Amino acid sequence: MPSTATSHAHINYSEGAPLTPSRWDDVHLVLRDTRRWSYPDDFSEREQWEIEKRRFELDILFTGGFGIRNGYELEYKARIPWRPAPEKTFVSLLTATLPIEYLEVHGPGRVRQLALDMASKLLFASGHAGLALRLYWWLPHTDDAFRFEALRYPGIDLREAWGHEEWMDLRVDGVHWLNFLGPSILTRLGGATALRSRLHSAETTVVETGEERVVVSLGEQPDAGDLATGKTLPAYRELAQVLEPWLEPLFLKPRWAPVEGPRYTSLLLTEDEARRWWRRFLD
């Protein structure tokens, strides 16, 4: 990212501080000092309380600064390794956002390369890159026109991945422009060759990026689609139908949503709208 895009770092939900050399040292220190496979009850009582409250062992967030929403963010959340193991597989999360202007100026090739570079350094279970709508607060119930317009474009993701990531287990977070599939999914699909044989769209490519890991690209650039004009994104639909058994479940009421009213994403969709959107590539 450009140096002016993110200029503040927040560590474990701190208020944040400018990215001075000293602040960079703080970031590097907490990353180096994280004890591998340490459990909450290995820490002091105060540290254990803080870890369980934030729901992650470590959280580092880079932003444009206090109150600045410029579309650039990078956040890493390290999962809590529980003892004994929980029923579900908890995951760590790396989230990066770029404003649409970055795509327009630098082109999809640059964005693709950024995503591939990040993925090459991670032992990911799954991941994706593509168009997404991120609101920084709840959409008022009265803004039905905006909500209706957003639902027209199936290629734009409307979910906050960071809202329920610890419950995803080893499932796939929907279908997107670039889809990163790790061993947990790829082995159940029969491997890269078997997956490639089930995808026939001319826009789709399957490239192996490492041992039991692939990236499935749905075109040279992300496509929003448009249901009003019949642009339903057939390549996206084809991949969704292949991945359907391993797609994440629909989370209607995350804990961080308002107490009253519909609670699916910051758009505050109704339950019917949420279900129709979630199955937009399947029905």
Side-chain angles (χ1 to χ4, degrees):
M1 293 182 185
S3 59
T4 57
T6 56
S7 59
H8 276 62
H10 306 250
I11 300 174
N12 292 337
Y13 295 116
S14 67
E15 292 185 358
L19 273 174
T20 61
S22 174
R23 190 59 169 173
W24 272 118
D25 289 342
D26 293 339
V27 171
H28 293 153
L29 180 63
V30 296
L31 287 172
R32 287 196 303 268
D33 286 357
T34 296
R35 286 167 278 180
R36 182 170 176 80
W37 304 119
S38 52
Y39 300 90
D41 50 354
D42 292 331
F43 292 84
S44 70
E45 185 175 334
R46 174 66 183 182
E47 289 174 317
Q48 180 177 344
W49 178 82
E50 290 179 347
I51 289 170
E52 294 183 356
K53 180 181 179 182
R54 65 176 177 256
R55 296 162 37 220
F56 292 92
E57 184 177 16
L58 172 67
D59 186 308
I60 297 178
L61 170 66
F62 297 94
T63 70
F66 296 115
I68 297 176
R69 299 295 193 181
N70 59 8
Y72 292 96
E73 282 193 7
L74 179 69
E75 184 169 20
Y76 169 64
K77 294 180 177 181
R79 70 179 179 85
I80 300 175
W82 292 99
R83 182 198 291 135
E87 293 182 5
K88 290 182 176 293
T89 300
F90 285 61
V91 297
S92 299
L93 178 72
L94 180 64
T95 303
T97 63
L98 300 169
I100 195 65
E101 291 82 5
Y102 187 94
L103 177 68
E104 293 171 343
V105 171
H106 298 284
R110 177 74 174 273
V111 176
R112 177 196 297 269
Q113 194 57 52
L114 280 173
L116 292 174
D117 288 346
M118 294 174 68
S120 69
K121 298 174 175 61
L122 301 171
L123 298 176
F124 58 83
S126 66
H128 67 262
L131 300 175
L133 175 65
R134 182 173 187 184
L135 303 181
Y136 291 104
W137 196 247
W138 307 102
L139 185 72
H141 289 288
T142 54
D143 284 355
D144 289 331
F146 184 92
R147 192 175 290 107
F148 177 79
E149 282 297 302
L151 291 169
R152 277 182 53 181
Y153 305 102
I156 299 179
D157 194 12
L158 303 181
R159 290 170 295 187
E160 291 86 351
W162 44 89
H164 54 257
E165 59 279 351
E166 71 266 43
W167 302 110
M168 268 191 62
D169 200 26
L170 296 177
R171 294 178 178 270
V172 179
D173 181 14
V175 170
H176 310 266
W177 170 43
L178 303 180
N179 306 271
F180 297 88
L181 305 177
S184 58
I185 300 299
L186 193 59
T187 54
R188 283 180 280 181
L189 289 167
T193 301
L195 173 60
R196 195 177 286 113
S197 70
R198 298 177 64 183
L199 300 173
H200 308 291
S201 172
E203 303 173 18
T204 302
T205 60
V206 179
V207 177
E208 298 178 58
T209 61
E211 186 176 353
E212 295 298 325
R213 287 180 170 81
V214 300
V215 56
V216 182
S217 301
L218 304 180
E220 291 297 317
Q221 60 185 19
D223 192 339
D226 187 349
L227 298 181
T229 62
K231 196 174 183 182
T232 59
L233 303 180
Y236 288 61
R237 293 180 62 83
E238 182 181 59
L239 179 59
Q241 289 159 19
V242 170
L243 295 179
E244 182 175 7
W246 301 284
L247 292 177
E248 65 165 347
L250 176 65
F251 295 91
L252 286 171
K253 297 182 179 180
R255 72 186 77 179
W256 38 264
V259 175
E260 301 296 335
R263 307 180 182 184
Y264 188 74
T265 88
S266 51
L267 287 175
L268 295 184
L269 303 180
T270 66
E271 182 171 340
D272 181 62
E273 288 171 334
R275 292 190 186 282
R276 283 190 288 109
W277 184 84
W278 183 74
R279 295 192 59 83
R280 67 200 185 284
F281 294 133
L282 297 171
D283 294 335

